[in-house]
Structure formats: structure tokens, C-alpha cells
């Protein structure tokens, strides 16, 4: 399955500004998703992490049998903060690392427009049935 | 990020911080309309903020692991605790008196 390029993430997500951190979906396949950040920052590391998590949630939510639109983040693991803050454009990537029961663990990263790695790690996405 | 804490107590290698209600409301804006709760990444940031006060001047360079147990509503009392041990900090976050998240953070 693939999603047409240049789709706006807000058409697929329940996040709304200022929480919505993804802009245009530039690539979406069964193996991964790439998405532009919604603005030029500033991107403190936690905002980068939230953007990466949104990319993981969007990617897994688009897959057959995925956790659905109400998914939540269950865990972060091995997240390396390469930049405490970034000003400028950002691109997020998410790809499936492994499925564990109902969880979709994704490898995520955030890069600057010139290709510098800003943040990387693993995000586990769970179906959103928590209280 | 503005100071997230209304009160902080540091004693030796441990700390406890109570998050300002207005700060929590701001972090949850748009997440989600009609069903607000704080994004997990911002819960990690709150734990990291306290960790950096406990271990100053060290900064958090990595999240070894952070697991979430429940959603955190912005209108509940949010309390963060942290204990530093070498280059690692063990942090906990409670919402309304219930465990909501726990993290191991690495310092640089």
C-alpha cells in the first residue's frame, strides 16, 4: 500500500495546532514514511521527539492491521539527542522495526534540511484503548 | 521552555518537582480537541528538566527507555521525581497520585 505524495498529514491525523507537527507527507509505503515538519522551528529536542512519534503513529496507522487513528505512544527506547535545539526545516522518517503483540515498534529519526541527524530512536505505538 | 515547575525540592542526588498547571495545559493544546492529554515526548521532557536540575550542569543526551502507563490529563496534579546515579537518572512521573511514566535517562 502507498499513500499519494504531497498529502497533508492533518488530513490523516487527529492532532491539531499547536500539537500537529507534521506537514506534507513526502513518501509513504509499507516499509516506511517520510514527512516534512510543519514549520521552521524552533525545534527543541522534545518537539523533535514528538514529531518523530507522530510520524511513527501515522506510519503504523496507515498499515493494514495497524493500531488505528486513536493509537498512543507506549514506549521510547534508545533515543539519541544529537541536537538540543534546531532552527530550520526538519524531515521525519519512520519505519517498522518489529511488531510485538499489538504494538508497532518503529525506528524513527529527524534530519535537518542539509541532512544532519538531529534525533534518532525507537518508538512503540499501541492501540489507543488506555484509560 | 519556560520553567515547568511550580515547586522543586532537591536533596543530594534526588529531586521532586510539581508541574505548573498552566504549563501542562499549554503542552496539551491540540492534543487532542475534546480529549486533552499530554504527549509522551513532553512527559519525557518534564522528567529530563528535573534530571538536569538534580545533576546540573550535566545535560540529558539520551533516553535509554521511557514507558507510559496511562494518559496524563492537564488538569491533574503532575509530580516528577528523579534520582541520579553516575551518568544515569531514574525518573518517575505521577498524575493525580497514580504512576504514569518512568524513564531511564543518560547524562552527558
Amino acid at each position: 500500500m502507498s499513500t499519494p505524495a504531497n498529502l497533508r498529514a492533518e488530513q490523516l491525523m487527529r492532532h491539531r495546532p499547536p500539537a500537529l507537527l507534521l506537514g506534507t507527507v513526502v513518501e509513504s509505503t509499507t516499509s516506511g514514511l517520510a514527512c516534512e515538519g510543519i514549520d521552521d522551528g524552533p525545534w527543541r529536542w522534545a518537539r523533535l521527539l514528538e514529531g518523530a512519534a507522530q510520524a511513527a503513529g501515522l506510519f503504523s496507522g496507515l498499515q493494514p492491521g495497524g493500531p488505528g487513528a486513536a493509537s498512543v505512544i507506549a514506549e521510547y527506547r534508545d533515543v539519541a539527542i544529537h541536537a538540543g535545539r534546531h532552527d530550520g526545516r526538519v524531515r521525519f522518517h519512520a519505519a517498522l522495526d518489529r511488531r510485538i503483540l499489538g504494538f508497532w515498534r518503529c525506528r524513527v529519526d529527524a534530519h535537518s534540511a542539509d541532512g544532519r541527524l538531529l534525533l534518532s530512536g525507537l518508538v512503540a505505538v499501541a492501540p489507543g484503548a488506555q484509560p | 521552555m519556560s520553567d515547568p515547575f511550580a515547586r522543586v525540592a532537591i536533596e543530594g542526588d534526588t529531586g521532586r518537582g510539581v508541574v505548573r498547571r498552566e504549563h501542562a495545559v499549554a503542552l496539551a493544546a491540540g492534543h487532542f480537541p475534546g480529549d486533552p492529554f499530554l504527549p509522551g515526548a513532553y512527559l519525557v521532557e518534564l522528567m529530563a528538566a528535573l534530571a538536569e536540575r538534580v545533576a546540573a550542569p550535566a545535560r540529558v543526551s539520551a533516553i535509554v527507555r521511557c514507558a507510559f502507563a496511562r494518559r496524563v490529563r492537564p488538569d491533574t496534579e503532575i509530580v516528577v521525581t528523579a534520582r541520579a546515579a553516575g551518568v544515569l537518572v531514574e525518573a518517575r512521573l505521577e498524575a493525580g497520585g497514580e504512576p504514569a511514566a518512568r524513564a531511564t535517562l543518560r547524562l552527558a
Side-chain angles (χ1 to χ4, degrees):
Chain A
M1 183 186 74
S2 65
T3 300
N6 300 318
L7 197 64
R8 297 291 297 178
E10 65 185 337
Q11 298 174 258
L12 304 166
M13 302 174 67
R14 57 183 178 140
H15 300 69
R16 290 295 173 263
L20 179 67
L21 299 182
L22 303 183
T24 303
V25 178
V26 294
E27 183 180 4
S28 175
T29 69
T30 54
S31 58
L33 177 141
C35 197
E36 299 287 354
I38 197 164
D39 58 29
D40 290 349
W43 293 90
R44 65 188 196 276
W45 68 260
R47 194 167 184 247
L48 289 169
L49 181 59
E50 171 61 13
Q54 290 183 17
L58 180 56
F59 165 72
S60 57
L62 289 170
Q63 306 311 308
S71 63
V72 295
I73 302 303
E75 182 187 75
Y76 293 113
R77 188 179 284 267
D78 298 335
V79 175
I81 301 166
H82 298 285
R85 173 188 161 124
H86 172 69
D87 293 287
R89 301 299 298 169
V90 174
R91 180 171 290 194
F92 296 102
H93 297 91
L96 181 64
D97 179 66
R98 63 183 298 196
R99 291 181 63 178
I100 309 168
L101 301 175
F103 295 82
W104 289 62
R105 194 169 76 181
C106 297
R107 188 166 296 283
V108 296
D109 62 58
H111 284 81
S112 63
D114 61 2
R116 189 161 49 93
L117 180 61
L118 304 172
L119 179 140
S120 60
L122 294 166
V123 178
V125 182
Q130 295 183 27
Chain B
M1 184 176 67
S2 61
D3 188 347
F5 299 111
R7 301 188 300 279
V8 173
I10 306 289
E11 188 171 329
D13 58 0
T14 66
R16 180 180 188 274
V18 180
V19 176
R20 289 191 298 113
R21 182 72 52 90
E22 317 86 73
H23 188 79
V25 169
L27 292 178
H31 189 276
F32 299 96
D35 182 27
F37 60 95
L38 277 73
Y42 298 159
L43 300 182
V44 186
E45 184 179 41
L46 291 170
M47 291 188 278
L50 184 65
E52 290 179 346
R53 291 205 189 183
V54 170
R59 303 302 300 253
V60 171
S61 63
I63 301 157
V64 178
R65 181 172 185 259
C66 182
F68 304 99
R70 67 182 64 248
R71 294 178 180 182
V72 175
R73 303 288 182 189
D75 58 351
T76 57
E77 183 181 63
I78 302 170
V79 178
V80 182
T81 56
R83 175 186 294 271
V87 297
L88 298 179
V89 176
E90 297 293 332
R92 304 282 185 272
L93 186 145
E94 292 185 353
E98 298 290 336
R102 57 187 299 176
T104 302
L105 309 171
R106 184 178 301 280
L107 301 167

